[in-house]
Structure formats: structure tokens, C-alpha cells
Amino acid sequence: MRVDIVSIFPEYFAPLDLSLIGKARASGTVRLAVHDLRTWTHDVHRTVDDTPYGGGPGMVMRPEPWGEALDALAPHELSPDGHTLPRLLVPSPAGVPFTQAMAHELAVESHLLFACGRYEGIDQRVLDHAAGRMRVTEVSLGDYVLFGGEVAVLVILEAVTRLLPGVLGNAGSLDEESHAHGLLEAPMYTKPANWRGHEVPEVLRSGDHGRIARWRRDEALLRTASRRPDMIAALPAESLDKRDRAALDRGGFQPRAGDVAK
Ligand code: JD8
């Protein structure tokens, strides 16, 4: 996967040399380049912002440097290796929510291009113009306000890269984790069996894999019902059987009426 990132703070992405993303880059699984937006300015002050039309607080990022950056990184004409146009991702508090489903969607793309805004954001015409020739997605991490798009790109890249073949040592764990099957994951424990008087649940030390799986399922259901009732409500009716319902009931969570799977 090819990844290009444009930002006025390229040093923000130094962490992408570390850990598994660093290994994915070293192995060539991810071909990542970070670009300084000021590369595409031509004035002595390398200006990237200006005052907002219509007034209001702060500054807006100028369209010209962005236009030239996208021209360079998403060439109008197909390159010799038949390279297709990238998918442009623009972090924004006004974007669509980033989810694990979107991470899977992005993980099959051949080229991702990230535009990191700052100040009050990027002149809207940059996105409208880009949408005329490539797929553009404004994406948000969540309902809180950041200084800019850089940390959002770090989060999105980590979520996407770990889904790429060969990046995660034990890809099997992808199926076990939160959000992989619509539930939060159960609590985890390791040695010692007793720590400061706290015991690891006996069932996990029983070796009875049937009981362990049932316990983990019940814990995942109760934790999800407690912390994320929206995820329980979003579960397909047939995905909860009688024992799941019994577990929720024992936890004091009302089963949804009428859709108990037999
Ligand atoms: C991109 C500029 C700052 C936002 C005035 C503060 C994502 N979940 C998220 N929260 N905030 C962002 C985000 C914030 C950004 C930019 C993403 C570019 N800002 C602006 C509007 C209000 N300042 C985000 N993803």
C-alpha cells in the first residue's frame, strides 16, 4: 500500500518509524512518504493560511498550496505503472465517523493520500476540486475538537496498517478483539494467579475451553451492555441466542423484545 501524508508539521509523523508500522515500511508492505505543505508555497514567508471570507475567528488554509500538492501526489494522468488515483482522506471534526469497518475498507486500497488541516481548516474548494477526479472522504475520530488532522492520521494509519497481511504476528487475534464482532472484548489476565490479593477468575485456569469461551462471551456481552448499549442494539437479532440473553438478563440488562433466536 502506498501512503502519502501532507502536513505543515511533517515531524509529527516520526512515530511511524517505530514498532509494527516501522516494520511494515521496512518490509515494503507500506510505502509511506510525508510531505511538508510549505514545499508548494512560493512566497518568502511560505504562507499557508489567510483570513476567512465572511469574517470570524482564526485563519483558513489557502487553496493554492494544497492544489499544487494534490496535483503532485495525485497526478492527473495515469503514471507508467498504471497507478490509479489515490483515495483522499481529510480528517475533520465535520467528517464521517472513523470506524473499524472503515479501517477494513481502507486496508484494501492501493494508495491513500492524507491531507492534514490546521487553523480553522482547509479552503473547501480544495476538497470540492479534488472530488472532481478522485474519491474524497472527510473523516472524524470522534465528537471532540483537536488542533489539527495529524493525530487523526496517526490513529487511522495504525488501525489500517495492522489489518494488512503479514503486519500482525498472529492475525488470528484480529477476530478476537473489540469491534471485530460487534462486542467489546472480555477482561484479560496473565500470571501471577494471585496479585495483591486479586485472583484470576478460576474458570480461566480450569483448562475447560468450553467454559472459558462461554465466560468470555458472557463478560463481553455484559461489558458491552454496560458501556456501549448502542452496540447491543446494533447487533443482528440472530446473533444473540438464549444463553446470551440469559447472561444479559442475569446482568440486569433487558433483552430486546421479540427477537430471541431459538
Ligand atoms: C482536522 C483543523 C482544528 C477544527 C477550529 C480547532 C478529526 N475528531 C476531530 N476533532 N477535531 C479534528 C480536527 C480538527 C482540525 C482539523 C481535524 C484541522 N482543526 C479546527 C474546527 C474548529 N479548529 C478531528 N479528525
Side-chain angles (χ1 to χ4, degrees):
M1 171 187 282
R2 176 179 167 189
V3 176
D4 287 292
I5 303 171
V6 182
S7 165
I8 61 172
F9 296 121
E11 61 279 10
Y12 233 97
F13 298 98
L16 296 177
D17 296 334
L18 308 173
S19 177
L20 288 172
I21 295 184
K23 287 191 177 62
R25 296 177 70 183
S27 69
T29 303
V30 174
R31 290 172 290 110
L32 185 142
V34 181
H35 312 272
D36 184 340
L37 179 67
R38 296 185 196 278
T39 306
W40 292 280
T41 62
H42 309 293
D43 62 304
V44 67
H45 301 298
R46 311 188 84 199
T47 308
V48 295
D49 63 317
D50 205 334
T51 54
Y53 271 115
M59 302 291 272
V60 175
M61 300 194 93
R62 299 173 50 230
E64 298 93 332
W66 277 111
E68 292 182 35
L70 299 185
D71 290 347
L73 298 170
H76 289 256
E77 62 294 330
L78 279 189
S79 57
D81 63 2
H83 174 75
T84 56
L85 282 166
R87 174 142 176 205
L88 177 61
L89 292 151
V90 186
S92 161
V96 296
F98 179 63
T99 62
Q100 189 66 10
M102 189 191 287
H104 281 281
E105 194 187 303
L106 298 178
V108 295
E109 294 279 354
S110 59
H111 185 186
L112 298 178
L113 174 51
F114 291 95
C116 300
R118 279 273 157 170
Y119 307 97
E120 299 310 305
I122 301 172
D123 186 301
Q124 185 62 36
R125 293 168 293 179
V126 172
L127 285 68
D128 300 346
H129 179 75
R133 62 193 189 88
M134 71 184 95
R135 292 156 302 141
V136 179
T137 306
E138 287 190 74
V139 56
S140 171
L141 284 192
D143 299 342
Y144 40 83
V145 181
L146 305 170
F147 280 127
E150 284 78 9
V151 288
V153 172
L154 287 170
V155 168
I156 294 168
L157 267 182
E158 178 154 321
V160 170
T161 303
R162 62 192 296 282
L163 299 175
L164 299 177
V167 170
L168 259 191
N170 56 349
S173 69
L174 284 176
D175 308 326
E176 301 300 314
E177 62 196 17
S178 287
H179 305 292
H181 42 56
L183 292 177
L184 303 181
E185 62 200 16
M188 310 297 276
Y189 302 85
T190 186
K191 292 185 281 301
N194 181 302
W195 177 73
R196 295 187 181 184
H198 299 278
E199 285 284 335
V200 170
E202 174 279 330
V203 60
L204 297 178
R205 294 178 283 131
S206 68
D208 178 336
H209 298 299
R211 277 185 63 215
I212 291 169
R214 186 68 248 173
W215 180 88
R216 283 179 169 156
R217 173 86 175 165
D218 292 352
E219 287 295 315
L221 286 162
L222 294 171
R223 183 178 260 194
T224 307
S226 164
R227 299 175 184 183
R228 294 291 307 278
D230 59 300
M231 292 173 71
I232 295 286
L235 286 171
E238 65 281 2
S239 69
L240 292 178
D241 66 15
K242 272 193 182 317
R243 290 193 292 176
D244 296 333
R245 303 248 147 241
L248 289 166
D249 194 39
R250 282 195 303 276
F253 297 103
Q254 303 319 312
R256 293 176 308 179
D259 57 9
V260 173
K262 297 293 166 284

